[in-house]
Amino acid sequence: MNNLLLAIGDVSKIATDDYVGFTFFVGCMAMMAASAFFFLSMNSFDRKWRTSILVSGLITFIAAVHYWYMRDYWAANAESPTFFRYVDWVLTVPLMCVEFYLILKVAGAKKSLMWRLIFLSVVMLVTGYLGEAVYRDQAQIWGLISGIAYFVIVYDIWLGQAKKLAVQAGGAVLKAHKTLCWFVLVGWAIYPIGYMAGTPGWYDGIFGGLAMDVIYNIGDAINKIGFGLVVYAAAVASSSTSEA
Ligand SMILES: *C/C=C(C)/C=C/C=C(C)/C=C/C1=C(C)CCCC1(C)C
């Protein structure tokens, strides 16, 4: 009990110009609220959409827990919580790949597509971690390898097998797929900017002055909550046109 009171009384101050601390705090609340929204709305959809909404909720929930720790870590150490960041990503980004698969399942998507996307996303994140945390002197090379994996993902969903399946499915599925493709092309491109802001390389003069964590936090809010809302909208659209 004493420890609890101590913990409650022990809230660190956030300076008015601490944008990183602020975005960690707001990000944490937003991820929690989004999780509640996805979990509570899940049962109002028919079965084939329920798992997709559940996965949207899991993505924001996993992020909410990590943001809780990252917010604390930043408040205590004024240092980037790189480890928690990448653990969060390595769990949530593969789940986004699962989301692509679930949406395209109605059009006959195979598990191999899902595993291919998951594999590519893990390569993208592990090489990014190596450059950001382990071999910082070679951050540009690791960033480049990570970027190649990213481009293969973009290719696969925009022009490869996933695209063909989406066209076959048509309707709400095609529409959702297209929007999610834009998230990956534009929304995910926020992260390499954060990486270049936070690591040394040829790009120092361009992105050097920006706060890496603010960029990552904005990226996460757009991509995790926005991505989930696209799936939610697809579920609403398909339930009101066909079944309801
Ligand atoms: C919820 C978290 C998401 C959607 C995170 C996505 C992260 C990326 C797309 C990261 C990409 C990177 C590169 C393309 C190159 C530099 C290293 C990374 C890992 C920041």
Side-chain angles (χ1 to χ4, degrees):
M1 189 60 191
N2 267 335
N3 277 340
L4 182 65
L5 288 176
L6 208 70
I8 291 170
D10 211 18
V11 176
S12 4
K13 286 186 187 173
I14 295 187
T16 46
D17 61 349
D18 180 2
Y19 300 107
V20 174
F22 173 75
T23 52
F24 272 129
F25 213 102
V26 175
C28 188
M29 297 315 285
M31 295 295 178
M32 287 193 217
S35 309
F37 177 79
F38 292 131
F39 289 145
L40 291 172
S41 67
M42 201 177 104
N43 284 321
S44 55
F45 297 105
D46 55 81
R47 288 199 64 181
K48 73 172 194 281
W49 285 102
R50 245 175 254 170
T51 320
S52 303
I53 307 282
L54 173 66
V55 173
S56 294
L58 288 176
I59 289 169
T60 52
F61 180 73
I62 291 169
V65 175
H66 284 85
Y67 266 75
W68 180 266
Y69 284 101
M70 291 198 285
R71 180 195 52 77
D72 232 14
Y73 186 95
W74 174 264
N77 306 301
E79 199 178 87
S80 290
T82 308
F83 174 79
F84 294 110
R85 175 82 75 191
Y86 275 85
V87 174
D88 173 343
W89 288 355
V90 93
L91 296 171
T92 53
V93 177
L95 278 175
M96 292 182 168
C97 300
V98 171
E99 200 81 280
F100 268 98
Y101 163 74
L102 286 175
I103 287 177
L104 296 175
K105 219 167 87 174
V106 282
K110 296 204 183 66
K111 284 243 169 67
S112 58
L113 172 74
M114 178 184 85
W115 287 115
R116 186 183 150 89
L117 291 176
I118 289 177
F119 172 76
L120 288 164
S121 70
V122 171
V123 170
M124 173 182 84
L125 295 171
V126 169
T127 50
Y129 183 77
L130 291 175
E132 197 174 313
V134 186
Y135 307 109
R136 281 183 68 84
D137 293 342
Q138 296 134 37
Q140 353 181 39
I141 296 162
W142 292 106
L144 179 68
I145 301 172
S146 173
I148 292 170
Y150 168 53
F151 272 114
V152 180
I153 296 174
V154 169
Y155 176 85
D156 267 9
I157 57 170
W158 272 87
L159 303 161
Q161 202 191 348
K163 163 76 188 200
K164 284 194 204 97
L165 291 165
V167 172
Q168 267 171 43
V173 170
L174 178 59
K175 207 169 152 231
H177 180 80
K178 268 202 185 132
T179 315
L180 293 182
C181 281
W182 279 106
F183 268 94
V184 174
L185 183 66
V186 181
W188 287 20
I190 295 171
Y191 297 97
I193 297 174
Y195 181 88
M196 288 188 276
T199 58
W202 58 267
Y203 36 73
D204 283 348
I206 312 172
F207 300 109
L210 302 170
M212 178 183 78
D213 285 291
V214 172
I215 300 172
Y216 283 164
N217 291 352
I218 293 171
D220 280 353
I222 293 174
N223 288 296
K224 295 190 164 64
I225 301 174
F227 204 89
L229 287 174
V230 172
V231 175
Y232 176 85
V236 171
S238 94
S239 313
S240 58
T241 51
S242 52
E243 280 87 10

